[in-house]
Amino acid sequence: MKNRSIVLVFMLTFCLGACREKEVGPDLTSPLTGQFGASYLIVNLTTGVSNSGPGTNSTVELRRKTNNTLLVTVKINDPQIQITDQFEATVTPTSVERDNLRIPGLRSVYEATYKTSVRSTGKTQINNYGKSLINLYNDGKIRGSFGYVNSDSLMISLGI
């Protein structure tokens, strides 16, 4: 009876462990995480009014969700405009030949593909997507950009 109980516990543990989802592939997102000051340009597509600013009142936070997915949080808080947006970006490695900055010490280049959502409904808009490049350097710094149109018809361009 004791042996059967031990075998049963072992089988249950083995089956439950095997059913758990495991992340596949290398961890691409951990070296890209952090909170970064962002320069921004915002154009209101309805009125044509634009705002821009340096990274003192704006941040982009990149958090690891999975091995190849980042959670991107954009916060802009200046006297004329306040924005808080969040979306996911899928990260894939790409050729370092795609680097246009030509800054010494480049380690890796990643392509980030993302869709943004309408905050009120949570539904993804087909035309609200983007692709950008993120450069990772040997000293751990990153440089990149994101551009999208949010649910308030604001076209937002960010440089980190």
Side-chain angles (χ1 to χ4, degrees):
M1 182 72 172
K2 183 178 179 183
N3 288 340
R4 286 185 188 168
S5 297
I6 292 172
V7 170
L8 181 61
V9 168
F10 175 76
M11 293 300 290
L12 282 172
T13 304
F14 181 75
C15 290
L16 291 175
C19 294
R20 192 170 9 126
E21 287 186 35
K22 294 180 175 78
E23 294 187 67
V24 179
D27 182 6
L28 302 174
T29 57
S30 287
L32 303 177
T33 60
Q35 187 170 355
F36 308 95
S39 297
Y40 61 90
L41 172 64
I42 301 170
V43 177
N44 186 322
L45 297 176
T46 307
T47 65
V49 175
S50 65
N51 296 346
S52 63
T56 55
N57 295 320
S58 57
T59 59
V60 173
E61 181 180 5
L62 305 176
R63 286 186 304 185
R64 179 187 183 279
K65 183 171 180 183
T66 65
N67 281 347
N68 69 340
T69 305
L70 289 169
L71 186 60
V72 180
T73 304
V74 176
K75 291 184 181 178
I76 299 173
N77 186 20
D78 75 13
Q80 285 106 13
I81 194 158
Q82 291 78 40
I83 292 175
T84 301
D85 288 328
Q86 192 172 66
F87 54 89
E88 293 180 6
T90 303
V91 177
T92 54
T94 188
S95 169
V96 293
E97 315 268 315
R98 295 186 67 186
D99 172 40
N100 294 322
L101 299 175
R102 304 290 182 227
I103 297 172
L106 179 66
R107 185 167 100 191
S108 303
V109 178
Y110 301 95
E111 183 176 79
T113 306
Y114 48 94
K115 293 182 181 179
T116 56
S117 310
V118 176
R119 286 188 294 238
S120 60
T121 64
K123 295 181 182 175
T124 300
Q125 293 180 327
I126 294 171
N127 64 345
N128 232 11
Y129 64 93
K131 282 188 179 186
S132 63
L133 295 179
I134 301 174
N135 294 353
L136 174 64
Y137 294 88
N138 290 328
D139 60 3
K141 292 183 180 175
I142 68 167
R143 288 187 170 80
S145 62
F146 292 97
Y148 63 96
V149 177
N150 73 2
S151 61
D152 296 327
S153 295
L154 299 174
M155 184 171 63
I156 301 170
S157 298
L158 301 157
I160 56 175

